Amino acid sequence: MPVKNFRVETDVDGVALVTWNNQGRSVNVLDQTSIDELEEIVEQTTTDTSVKGIVITSGKEAFSDGSEISMLQGMYKQYVRVLKEEGEIPANQMLFDQSRRLSLAFRSIETSGKPWVAAINGRALGSGFELTLCCHHRVAADNPKTQLGFPEIKLGLFPGAGGTQRVPRIVALQQAMQILVKGDTMNVAHAHALRLIDAIVPAPNLVREAKNWIKGGGQALARWDEKGFGLPVGPVYSHAGKMAFRAANAMYRRESYDNYPAKRAILASVYEGVQLPIEAALRVESRYFANVLRSKVTQGMVRTQFLSMAELQAGRRRPQDVPPTKVKKLGLIGAGFMGASVGYVSARAGIEVALIARHQESADKAKAHANSVFNDLIQKGRASESDRDETLSRIIPTTDYAAIMDCDLVIESVFEDRNAKAGVYAKAQPLLKKGAIFASNTSTLPISTLAESFTEQGIFIGIHFFSPVEKMKLVEVILGKKTGNLALATALDYLDQISKIPILVNDSRSFFANRCVRRFVSEGVEMFLEGVPPAMVENCAKMAGMPVGPLSLADEIGLDLRLKVMRLTEADLGQNAIDPAQKQLMVELVENQGRLGRKNRKGFYDYPEKGKGSKTLWRGLTNLQRKHLDSDRIEAEELKQRFLVVQAVEAARTIDERVVTDPRDADVGSILGFGFPPFTGGVLSYIDLMGTTNFISVCEMFEGKYGPRFAPPKLLQQMAEKHETFYKSF
């Protein structure tokens, strides 16, 4: 058959060079067409007696990014259809057969009787890396930027085309588990040290060296097909094998709390598979892969962390009637930690930054932050001194507001005080050039009320960064009631320039992310006030899938800031807007005990000086509890569920109030912004996957026991009556 994505050229020595070059794509992926063509090429080269061996390489900068995710989604949709029309057994068989096809194709390369060499010229990930592993020899171009590995575990998937069976037959079990379960990538030097790569050669010599291995008598026999093959450190039941699985199970439990089916499936697949011949082992792997592929966890993770995230990055909500904009110069008013960090990421993206503070010393200190970040990167080999010097040359620290006169975008990042912000606006507004946009980095105060200080409110928008800015990909873009399309387009284009992922929210107090995360922190504090041991509060939150406990997060935010926000909310909305018991606790900690959080090394935790141990819960905490519950009589599962439900019901309220209008914004925002457990698919997918009716039942049960913060909004009741989900309704 004519091939579209591969070119096959056989030289005079009978070595066929297969060059993979997906048409119409920037990278090679294993889509349906590529798999069809690869199967055909394997069959043709196997039966063609003139072909002595095959080298497969890429015609693009990278070798392959793995399987096409939409193809895997299509398999799941077909499974759902067959399940509905024909029943569970035919649906399961169909999914197993479909999901095993790539594994069989790779095995046919391995057993073709002709030597195959992978000439790896760049990045090889997921099933792209699995393709190289089924080849009899692997040669990589000497490129320190090339990454190899199986990152799909971060989407709830796992290497299902032989990866879980070939890696532990090459690499010692304990190292193999790390590679498979953690999903971290490695460079070619590391892969070569582990024998996952057989040779590293200069890039110009790559194909020639691959061909030379075949011409030099390279054998078409995988080591695990040799008689008497044994695992690198002995069988599963050997001392080394038992130690490896004990360590792997401990790592899995510590890092995932058994919330991720794909990680559990990897452990099971490896454990069972390495005790079997490779043919049977690959069938075991395929069964686990098909089971994971049909799980709700995997579907939710793929939808949110791959498809929805890609749509947000592509500027899905950008006004189409505004021509593309580019921020050449950025004004930053406020040189605290947040302002300094925004200045650093902007300057590194090639934007000139005017960094304005009340005192020159503060402005200089903010620029020094960028220097410090760069020095750390240089030490780790992730940046050069020339990168640092070029970036720092773009940051101009000053006290003179006139520096914003030629800025395309100005961002205010002073502390959360209306009067302080109003003073900034009064100074800045007369200096803005025509067409410039003004943004506030406020985390709490409604954008529409802040914009009242502006004559032209259409140029005012919220751009809420998350700390630490250097690491956090998410940014909330907040629309005031009068924000115009130019302001929105400029904000989105700027965030694209600095490689951030935006979610779009309408104006409200605390917007979306902070509304939800404050519910999480408040629920933890509420449990503490109920008498739950502080360690149990923290551990149950992590068992639920949150990255840190609520008391730890409160310390990171700052207990003094939490008290300040409470007082601002009380002043704006009245006494009923806050919990008096929680306010009293914050007053005690902040004003009576002088415990501000991590910033002064005293909060719910005690913090040692840098490099002198780990933080520990403050011993005096139990004295602040009115009662003490017996941990043996507390249902840990209920605490875990409370943490997730209280955030999810708040997210549902933001949809009901039209603060968020698209569930993709909420789900991506919840995972990237405040660490809502990825295995749920996000804060609204959590409701969808549980079922709206079931979620309401849980809410009503908690409402009866713990109060109205769990009351489901009317929107959820309406959705339940119509058997709707967020992704179908919105």
Side-chain angles (χ1 to χ4, degrees):
M1 73 174 195
V3 292
K4 176 182 176 183
N5 293 331
F6 295 89
R7 185 176 70 252
V8 183
E9 302 166 295
T10 304
D11 65 18
V12 294
D13 295 310
V15 178
L17 176 62
V18 178
T19 304
W20 186 7
N21 194 354
N22 271 108
Q23 297 301 303
R25 292 180 183 268
S26 59
V27 294
N28 292 326
V29 295
L30 283 155
D31 54 14
Q32 202 65 58
T33 302
S34 293
I35 296 172
D36 291 341
E37 293 180 359
L38 184 62
E39 289 174 334
E40 180 69 19
I41 289 168
V42 175
E43 183 179 347
Q44 287 180 356
T45 55
T46 300
T47 57
D48 187 344
T49 56
S50 67
V51 174
K52 308 304 180 186
I54 301 93
V55 173
I56 185 167
T57 192
S58 168
K60 300 182 186 295
E61 288 187 8
F63 184 81
S64 171
D65 277 358
S67 294
E68 184 182 47
I69 297 298
S70 60
M71 179 182 71
L72 299 177
Q73 274 211 315
M75 289 163 54
Y76 174 74
K77 290 177 181 177
Q78 188 179 356
Y79 163 77
V80 172
R81 180 183 60 77
V82 175
L83 179 65
K84 184 177 180 180
E85 295 175 358
E86 301 179 36
E88 186 173 5
I89 293 176
N92 289 344
Q93 185 65 53
M94 181 279 302
L95 190 60
F96 174 74
D97 292 340
Q98 289 275 2
S99 62
R100 197 176 180 220
R101 186 179 169 197
L102 194 55
S103 180
L104 291 173
F106 289 173
R107 182 59 177 161
S108 70
I109 289 174
E110 205 164 55
T111 60
S112 65
K114 295 186 178 180
W116 278 69
V117 181
I120 307 166
N121 60 310
R123 185 178 66 245
L125 303 174
S127 57
F129 189 34
E130 288 178 290
L131 171 55
T132 72
L133 294 177
C134 76
C135 293
H136 306 100
H137 192 69
R138 289 168 293 281
V139 183
D142 188 3
N143 182 350
K145 293 184 179 180
T146 294
Q147 294 295 303
L148 311 169
F150 304 108
E152 61 263 48
I153 191 65
K154 297 171 184 178
L155 296 179
L157 296 164
F158 77 90
T164 69
Q165 302 310 311
R166 293 187 177 95
V167 171
R169 284 168 168 79
I170 301 171
V171 179
L173 276 172
Q174 194 159 345
Q175 291 171 305
M177 294 294 196
Q178 291 273 349
I179 292 168
L180 294 166
V181 175
K182 293 180 74 69
D184 295 336
T185 57
M186 69 193 94
N187 59 30
V188 290
H190 187 196
H192 183 250
L194 294 173
R195 298 178 65 197
L196 292 165
I197 296 293
D198 297 302
I200 302 173
V201 301
N205 303 341
L206 179 64
V207 172
R208 186 180 67 204
E209 292 298 326
K211 286 186 174 185
N212 285 344
W213 184 83
I214 295 172
K215 295 173 186 178
Q219 295 297 302
L221 185 68
R223 64 190 71 174
W224 37 88
D225 286 322
E226 296 174 0
K227 189 175 181 179
F229 168 77
L231 296 176
V233 294
V236 168
Y237 47 80
S238 67
H239 176 72
K242 286 187 282 189
M243 292 301 294
F245 277 99
R246 286 174 184 168
N249 274 304
M251 177 183 70
Y252 166 70
R253 291 284 177 176
R254 182 186 71 238
E255 296 182 2
S256 73
Y257 294 96
D258 204 22
N259 289 320
Y260 293 86
K263 293 189 176 185
R264 175 190 276 265
I266 287 174
L267 297 184
S269 185
V270 173
Y271 180 79
E272 295 173 28
V274 295
Q275 300 181 65
L276 299 168
I278 189 68
E279 295 282 2
L282 291 172
R283 285 197 299 273
V284 166
E285 178 190 70
S286 293
R287 289 193 179 102
Y288 279 110
F289 183 76
N291 192 47
V292 164
L293 192 59
R294 68 180 183 173
S295 76
K296 290 183 177 180
V297 168
T298 296
Q299 292 307 311
M301 290 181 72
V302 167
R303 180 176 65 189
T304 298
Q305 293 184 256
F306 184 80
L307 299 174
S308 295
M309 207 170 290
E311 290 164 355
L312 294 180
Q313 286 178 299
R316 171 179 49 83
R317 305 285 292 278
R318 188 190 184 283
Q320 297 302 306
D321 60 341
V322 179
T325 65
K326 186 172 184 179
V327 174
K328 295 178 181 177
K329 184 175 180 182
L330 172 72
L332 271 170
I333 304 175
F337 180 70
M338 184 66 77
S341 299
V342 174
Y344 160 74
V345 297
S346 300
R348 194 167 189 196
I351 300 171
E352 186 179 349
V353 177
L355 194 54
I356 301 168
R358 286 187 296 174
H359 307 290
Q360 187 64 43
E361 182 182 0
S362 299
D364 292 337
K365 185 178 178 181
K367 181 172 181 176
H369 169 76
N371 186 56
S372 175
V373 173
F374 254 111
N375 287 340
D376 186 50
L377 292 174
I378 291 168
Q379 285 184 344
K380 295 175 180 177
R382 297 177 185 172
S384 66
E385 291 185 1
S386 61
D387 292 335
R388 178 195 61 197
D389 296 343
E390 187 178 348
T391 297
L392 291 177
S393 71
R394 298 190 190 105
I395 301 176
I396 303 133
T398 182
T399 60
D400 187 358
Y401 271 67
I404 70 172
M405 292 179 68
D406 56 346
C407 289
D408 307 296
L409 172 66
V410 178
I411 301 176
E412 162 269 306
S413 187
V414 302
F415 54 91
E416 296 291 86
D417 182 278
R418 289 183 186 279
N419 292 331
K421 291 180 184 294
V424 166
Y425 303 160
K427 292 179 182 178
Q429 194 173 173
L431 300 172
L432 296 177
K433 74 174 186 178
K434 185 177 181 181
I437 302 303
F438 197 96
S440 175
N441 182 43
T442 179
S443 61
T444 305
L445 301 173
I447 292 300
S448 297
T449 59
L450 295 179
E452 290 172 359
S453 299
F454 272 72
T455 305
E456 189 182 347
Q457 296 185 29
I459 69 168
F460 196 95
I461 194 167
I463 302 179
H464 175 214
F465 290 88
F466 293 81
S467 184
V469 176
E470 294 89 347
K471 295 180 180 179
M472 297 292 281
K473 295 289 290 182
L474 187 78
V475 177
E476 280 183 313
V477 176
I478 305 105
L479 295 175
K481 291 179 181 177
K482 297 183 179 179
T483 299
N485 279 353
L486 177 61
L488 174 57
T490 301
L492 294 177
D493 291 345
Y494 161 67
L495 295 175
D496 182 58
Q497 281 180 258
I498 62 173
S499 301
K500 298 297 182 184
I501 298 174
I503 62 170
L504 193 59
V505 301
N506 291 319
D507 202 11
S508 78
R509 179 174 293 274
S510 297
F511 319 125
F512 168 72
N514 278 346
R515 279 182 62 168
C516 296
V517 78
R518 281 178 184 157
R519 287 290 182 184
F520 167 65
V521 173
S522 293
E523 197 62 24
V525 174
E526 187 62 36
M527 291 174 184
F528 172 80
L529 293 173
E530 290 168 9
V532 178
M536 191 172 189
V537 173
E538 297 289 86
N539 288 334
C540 283
K542 287 185 280 188
M543 289 166 64
M546 297 299 294
V548 297
L551 307 183
S552 179
L553 183 56
D555 278 359
E556 294 292 335
I557 295 169
L559 303 186
D560 56 335
L561 177 59
R562 191 163 189 270
L563 178 59
K564 184 174 184 177
V565 170
M566 281 182 167
R567 284 173 167 158
L568 281 171
T569 304
E570 190 176 29
D572 283 356
L573 304 178
Q575 291 183 344
N576 293 334
I578 64 164
D579 184 325
Q582 293 212 17
K583 179 184 174 185
Q584 184 180 351
L585 175 63
M586 289 301 108
V587 169
E588 176 63 28
L589 286 167
V590 174
E591 297 182 351
N592 298 338
Q593 301 291 337
R595 305 187 72 85
L596 311 183
R598 178 180 276 278
K599 65 179 69 175
N600 76 334
R601 301 208 305 272
K602 296 187 298 181
F604 283 105
Y605 284 81
D606 280 323
Y607 298 85
E609 292 184 18
K610 190 174 182 180
K612 294 187 177 181
S614 304
K615 67 183 182 183
T616 55
L617 283 162
W618 177 41
R619 291 179 180 273
L621 279 180
T622 54
N623 297 329
L624 303 183
Q625 290 180 293
R626 288 168 287 187
K627 56 182 178 179
H628 301 89
L629 301 178
D630 181 356
S631 60
D632 291 336
R633 296 179 178 273
I634 301 171
E635 182 54 60
E637 289 300 318
E638 182 171 292
L639 297 186
K640 288 165 56 179
Q641 194 170 42
R642 279 173 64 182
F643 280 124
L644 301 188
V645 170
V646 78
Q647 295 177 80
V649 76
E650 186 66 20
R653 292 187 188 110
T654 67
I655 293 281
D656 192 30
E657 297 165 17
R658 305 295 292 171
V659 175
V660 177
T661 59
D662 190 318
R664 291 171 290 190
D665 287 315
D667 279 346
V668 171
S670 65
I671 291 174
L672 294 185
F674 52 92
F676 198 78
F679 72 85
T680 64
V683 72
L684 295 183
S685 285
Y686 175 71
I687 299 174
D688 278 359
L689 296 178
M690 184 188 295
T692 310
T693 301
N694 292 336
F695 181 78
I696 288 173
S697 297
V698 173
C699 285
E700 290 174 343
M701 183 265 289
F702 283 157
E703 182 185 9
K705 292 177 71 172
Y706 301 111
R709 63 185 180 276
F710 287 101
K714 289 182 179 179
L715 172 66
L716 283 180
Q717 303 283 3
Q718 294 167 355
M719 289 170 58
E721 290 170 5
K722 298 176 183 177
H723 305 287
E724 291 180 339
T725 65
F726 283 105
Y727 276 84
K728 287 183 179 178
S729 300
F730 295 90

